[in-house]
Amino acid sequence: MSTDGLFAPIFTGDELLQATGDRAWLQALLDVEGALAGAEADTGIIPKPAAEIITTFCTGAGATDRFDSGQLGRAARLGGNPVIPLVETLTAVLPPEARGWVHWGATSQDILDTAAMLLCRRALEIIEADLDGLADGCAALADRYRTTLMAGRTLLQQALPITFGLKAAGWLIGTLEVRGRLVEVRSVLPIQLGGAAGTLAALGPDGPAVASRLASRLQLVEPLIPWHTSRQRVAELGATLGLVAGHAANIATDVALLMQTEVAEAFEPAGPGRGGSSTLPHKRNPVAAAATSAAARRAHALIPVLFTGMVQEHERAVGGWQAEWETLTELLRLAGGAAGRVRETVQGLEVDPNAMRDNLDRTDGLLMAERVTLALARHMDRSEARKGVQRAARSGTSFRTGLLADPAITSVLSADEVDRLLDPAGYLGATSTFIDRALQAHRGG
Amino acid sequence: MSTDGLFAPIFTGDELLQATGDRAWLQALLDVEGALAGAEADTGIIPKPAAEIITTFCTGAGATDRFDSGQLGRAARLGGNPVIPLVETLTAVLPPEARGWVHWGATSQDILDTAAMLLCRRALEIIEADLDGLADGCAALADRYRTTLMAGRTLLQQALPITFGLKAAGWLIGTLEVRGRLVEVRSVLPIQLGGAAGTLAALGPDGPAVASRLASRLQLVEPLIPWHTSRQRVAELGATLGLVAGHAANIATDVALLMQTEVAEAFEPAGPGRGGSSTLPHKRNPVAAAATSAAARRAHALIPVLFTGMVQEHERAVGGWQAEWETLTELLRLAGGAAGRVRETVQGLEVDPNAMRDNLDRTDGLLMAERVTLALARHMDRSEARKGVQRAARSGTSFRTGLLADPAITSVLSADEVDRLLDPAGYLGATSTFIDRALQAHRGG
Amino acid sequence: MSTDGLFAPIFTGDELLQATGDRAWLQALLDVEGALAGAEADTGIIPKPAAEIITTFCTGAGATDRFDSGQLGRAARLGGNPVIPLVETLTAVLPPEARGWVHWGATSQDILDTAAMLLCRRALEIIEADLDGLADGCAALADRYRTTLMAGRTLLQQALPITFGLKAAGWLIGTLEVRGRLVEVRSVLPIQLGGAAGTLAALGPDGPAVASRLASRLQLVEPLIPWHTSRQRVAELGATLGLVAGHAANIATDVALLMQTEVAEAFEPAGPGRGGSSTLPHKRNPVAAAATSAAARRAHALIPVLFTGMVQEHERAVGGWQAEWETLTELLRLAGGAAGRVRETVQGLEVDPNAMRDNLDRTDGLLMAERVTLALARHMDRSEARKGVQRAARSGTSFRTGLLADPAITSVLSADEVDRLLDPAGYLGATSTFIDRALQAHRGG
Amino acid sequence: MSTDGLFAPIFTGDELLQATGDRAWLQALLDVEGALAGAEADTGIIPKPAAEIITTFCTGAGATDRFDSGQLGRAARLGGNPVIPLVETLTAVLPPEARGWVHWGATSQDILDTAAMLLCRRALEIIEADLDGLADGCAALADRYRTTLMAGRTLLQQALPITFGLKAAGWLIGTLEVRGRLVEVRSVLPIQLGGAAGTLAALGPDGPAVASRLASRLQLVEPLIPWHTSRQRVAELGATLGLVAGHAANIATDVALLMQTEVAEAFEPAGPGRGGSSTLPHKRNPVAAAATSAAARRAHALIPVLFTGMVQEHERAVGGWQAEWETLTELLRLAGGAAGRVRETVQGLEVDPNAMRDNLDRTDGLLMAERVTLALARHMDRSEARKGVQRAARSGTSFRTGLLADPAITSVLSADEVDRLLDPAGYLGATSTFIDRALQAHRGG
């Protein structure tokens, strides 16, 4: 089993690589030809025995073994897509009574588009499973670290205390939203059947009935009209995969930043050889984060190919359609791969609450400046309050000492009140509410 | 009134330019500050009189006149976003009793994100109106030209007959789908309120209540938790605008191709100076198509900015967030502009049914080759049928003459049957059904 | 020989597929390890006999046969790049006396970056050969059709006469410029050697000497300093491949437009099965154009991955670097594939001068309106001249008749003069000069 | 003076905003019309007095004051570009004897393309000045901090010691390379002059002479042939600006990472209000880094617009060309803005060598593991050496203690040797050489 060589496995898991590989594409194409023959027999357009032969041949075990995908790909140079040589080969190897009924009334794009939707549905199910696992992992973190204090950081600067549970709750909500959108998009993946110019003319009056049967056999949606040059579905699919990749990279980047030598608050799961450096034994590299980030960058760049591809000339495009095939494959692999790697990261995340607390304490209370300012502002003008806090912050001593040395401050706040104000655990606002909401959405989703 | 100079108006209409211009942004920011004060008064956090002063100041007539946007923009270099100097200015000009309560407990991102959603909602309503008009225009064409024959063209080659009504029905379904998605996205645009690190700590226990009131006052959705670093909404919004632009450019490109001197089947609406060339009086340039195509290219390129921007460091990003502001503005302008221009094109489209028929007849019946092949294939092997048709096609005479000169063909098809087969009006398959479905979807939408 | 399955061969020729496939990558990586050992022996850092064993093993026939690229790729998930497992495998299979000296003082990125440059050089040579062939093809067309009249078309509207030779001369100059840039970029491809953090510390004082020898052995350039996080070279390489793809698609699109049923002035080379449709025997599809356009769309989308990748954290990136590997491979394939397909198109282009002339005559002289306007403007105000021409253009008769029926015109132009002005062959301006310049640049290049 | 409102000034300096604003575009367009008239008078095509009137009008002080760019932009909707209404207005306001000679023989694209090149040249000069300042700033840092030890970090993990001077030397070389490319591209910016279809037919035999004079008058390059549909120059220009933006963001990102609360090794220059947060007085936000990163993201996304725009239909494009105008403007602003902000950052960078040293010491010698491994490997098998180092690294005590407690290690290394090996200053490899090379390249450049 060769799963796509030197680089692809770094970014994508084996299951998804196979679900989007040449064999999977071939099988999807054959599935469509088989289902088409079946649908046409259902509606009396072609003889049932012929259809049965075709369906059995196309969907039986080892169906793809009869084809050499590299040879089909090279043969496809002549006609511009692999369905043409596939149908030729299929016609050649079927028995005479079935031969003439293969691909009846269809155009290459019908087969390729429907196969693409089939392949996407299968791949999206794998990705959804990873998103489910990711959501579970986030929920577990949100729950477990609900009160674990850490620094909230804005623009990479410590800003205010949060809890690690809140951060995980944010990841969780994001996962649920992205997953919800993915399910929406998957559940409306349609067949395409229009014939040579979108009229289904070759099927006579029964075209719509065949389309309906084809959709039913493949468990895809029947569109109102053929969408050969109306590609919003494909663009939306691409965008949704972009959401998956972006969300995964968002989490991965936070983890990579938390793993920094100087921060060291959370770590990708360890394991033999994992994240190691050949010459630097002390390192713990965020290798999954790097792969996730790289996958997301590449996935996001591909999105415009599908949007620009919406511009299709007349009844079939010169380029915009042909650019979709490998782009979709890559997007499934990169987005799904990112989801898989970040699931693994979140589910095995090593969290160091002590390091979180130590880092939080590094600024010696300064992180509570906003709280002190607001407390002072109840007794004086807000700009006066801010000035007082700034004097204390720059006093050269600890923030607490600075505050307590300032008569303008001590005239309105006691030392006890100052100490209470400087306790980060008391300044978490709606943190707990937000975590509850996220966990409830997860349970309810 | 300066609407954005030399180039922008070519791609975007005046209404949308204004709804996304500096004044509109300023007003949206002020609307949020005003509504925030109101929401905080509603929940007893700040005094009602102060809130009323703030709200009145921010949302009263001419509120933006007190600000110089260029000056705010330059001042924003120091702190990195325009809310900081805006709040400073606001604080300075308000009466003392209100001054201290402006922007209470909020962070710049809260204001900017919520204002962006507000601005988007307003702009999306304009775009929806254009999509409605576009849908009406497509429906009118689909209905009127339901039986108007023309060549269906695949890979820019004539393939099979279709009707112009079918083409318009395809545009219509695309419009309805894109519009549907836009409405979905618009109707869930949320406020953002998280405070400095997403905990709403500065609002104490009442944070969620303030958020709820803020959403209600602005008629935006209250999110489960703050989304300061969870940007899938913004990316989805961008993708949806990309759908609008792509769909518009798809129609525009077809029109430009139909306007070609050698095709001349349909034209953008005429008018004094419209599409003209200073030195070439005979030309009828597809100027709206060019603008639409250009706008779509630019819009599509911007989409990855919003997806890549999903990767945000910790509790506020260093770059990913800041890149959204002008990108969103541009996407609204370009996608909406494309919708506006193509609406105008479709609503005023000049169609020449005679030219359509003349072009259809250019290949002298060859376009019916598939139909003749299928008819022959009922009497002989499909490959034999195809060979017979090819012989006739290459006979050097007209296709009809070639067919009638071939005994293998005439032995199974009479001259009358051949003539019937060569009539394009009889080979339209499900065209009428598809048009009905599209028109029904439009009425039902 | 499996050359990359169902889709890749449609867009890329076999030679380039192989030069950029897994074997080629593996061989390039081994070439670098071999050359590194050699360079280190040259400078006395490792023992010569060990180096010889390594070099022989890595660069001997069938070196790559000892590795399973899929297995290396999966193993690479742990450490994040394929060099780590490659070096492990290499160490395991080498005899003991060589084992310890493999990869001495290098970091994975050194090997991968240098291998990438090696692979690029080899692939670029293939692409250059295609560009040379393309330039020859363009030059032949420019020369042969130097005076073959056709319509110059702006915004898809006939505008003024040109010759097909001039169009080909434009393609030629574009080819020469793109090729020139490609050669510039190829000739400065550098090695990368910096060690774990870019200091070459592990090589002691001899680091720069090793770098110099490594460059010399691989016939790559020695950079002033390591460029592990300074990726402008990679971005420039990507941009240059984007130029190749864009130029190829520019020609291909013109050909596809010229092949339209209604235009029919030039055609991709014919051949059995080529461009055919299974059911529409009369079609002649621009399949190479579609593949070229699709390849260019995909190539262009990938460019930002390499530019965004320039942003690399500290001394090695978390994502930006890792995103380069497959992106570069794809860019080479897509850009080179586009060049290959368009070379084939141009070298075998079928031109129909009669169709060009017929189309030119379709507007019945109107194309010469600018010339008549300018001629009239020598006798009257320019706006008067333009109005006269417009009257004639819209007279309902032929343009010539319209002109000769207008006393304002006949008072300054005789019928003979009008006929002379309406001859397109006389209104070609600098066409011949431009063709000469292009051909001379080609000979001189 | 309104410099582009709320957002643009955050990303771009005032000088560059003005050099790329509407007035600048208008002036460039007028400069070209003026120079064209001059060039045509030089070659005897139009009367010298008329040309003088035109040139004086177009290039005199306050020339642009006579035009309302918003009005021109709205008028441009009809014809698709702003040159058409500009020429109309120009014609209307010039005295009768000059009126007829404006824009003689040119097409809108000639004027717009040439004006774009003119505008680019002026803007590129501003950007080059910023790159020069950036190079000087980097050189000063490289020199001053040549021996200032800090941790080299790979994948955000401390890896090996480097010096801050080496990091700055890397920035310097990158700056010089990017600047070099920018100068190359700027110095070949061409005029465009082809007339309505690229033949210069309206200029008769003198077309090439006019082109030559026009180039000379505008100090732009005369191309071999018109490049109206051969856009590699524009794409290359865009790519080069992408290099500028990417390089700037590379430096900015390093600075933002160094500014992290937990790292705190270097800082953007301070100043009143600079990088501050309204409520968090202790923060020091990397506001310039955020703006630079945002600008680079947006710039990079725009690049494909120019590459895809290379695909232009026949003799003038329907969309690809029109998409260039604002894209070029934005690219100049964003790339140049990024260069300007990073120049400011580097020139005012606050460096804390003590913090660098403290962070370097955090891992308690572990950073020297590679060095110890290599030293041990001179006495034992490399894998044995690595194991010994790993034992010491994980001994639970300090690395030094761990090493000295291991007989396998102390049998070959004395305590003094261990101490020497653990001194980071002794393990800098070619650092000094690399810094010298960079400084020399800077002096020599």
Side-chain angles (χ1 to χ4, degrees), chain A residues 314-337:
Chain A
H314 294 315
E315 277 65 59
R316 179 136 38 259
V318 191
W321 174 56
Q322 295 82 355
E324 288 177 2
W325 312 328
E326 291 186 280
T327 301
L328 262 181
T329 303
E330 276 299 290
L331 265 163
L332 290 167
R333 290 178 163 206
L334 293 167

Side-chain angles (χ1 to χ4, degrees), chain A residues 353-415:
Chain A
N354 293 329
M356 288 174 174
R357 180 72 211 208
D358 288 350
N359 285 330
L360 184 61
D361 291 340
R362 270 199 212 198
T363 56
D364 197 23
L366 263 176
L367 233 57
M368 307 309 296
E370 182 193 64
R371 189 186 199 189
V372 178
T373 307
L374 290 172
L376 288 172
R378 303 199 170 272
H379 305 279
M380 60 185 76
D381 184 84
R382 187 154 64 157
S383 73
E384 284 309 305
R386 199 179 298 158
K387 280 179 200 154
V389 166
Q390 285 177 345
R391 277 194 309 273
R394 294 166 189 161
S395 63
T397 67
S398 87
F399 184 45
R400 179 178 182 276
T401 311
L403 290 171
L404 295 179
D406 188 335
I409 290 169
T410 51
S411 69
V412 296
L413 294 178
S414 71

Side-chain angles (χ1 to χ4, degrees), chain A residues 151 153-160 253 256-257 259-263 265 267 277-287 290 308 359 362-363 366-371 373 382 386 389-390 393-394, chain D residues 151 153-160 253 256-257 259-263 265 267 277-287 290 308 359 362-363 366-371 373 382 386 389-390 393-394:
Chain A
R153 296 171 175 99
T154 56
L155 290 135
L156 293 174
Q157 300 284 306
Q158 290 194 11
L160 279 188
T253 299
L257 290 168
M259 284 178 76
Q260 288 177 100
T261 308
E262 297 82 5
V263 178
E265 297 182 3
F267 302 89
S277 160
S278 51
T279 51
L280 310 171
H282 60 285
K283 286 193 72 182
R284 183 116 172 237
N285 284 329
V287 290
T308 305
N359 285 330
R362 270 199 212 198
T363 56
L366 263 176
L367 233 57
M368 307 309 296
E370 182 193 64
R371 189 186 199 189
T373 307
R382 187 154 64 157
R386 199 179 298 158
V389 166
Q390 285 177 345
R394 294 166 189 161
Chain D
R153 296 169 177 101
T154 58
L155 289 131
L156 294 175
Q157 299 285 303
Q158 290 195 12
L160 280 189
T253 299
L257 289 168
M259 284 177 76
Q260 287 175 103
T261 309
E262 298 82 3
V263 178
E265 297 183 3
F267 302 88
S277 160
S278 51
T279 51
L280 310 171
H282 59 285
K283 286 192 73 184
R284 182 117 171 235
N285 285 327
V287 289
T308 305
N359 285 331
R362 270 200 212 197
T363 57
L366 264 176
L367 233 57
M368 308 309 294
E370 180 192 66
R371 189 186 199 188
T373 307
R382 187 155 61 158
R386 200 180 297 159
V389 166
Q390 284 177 344
R394 294 164 188 165

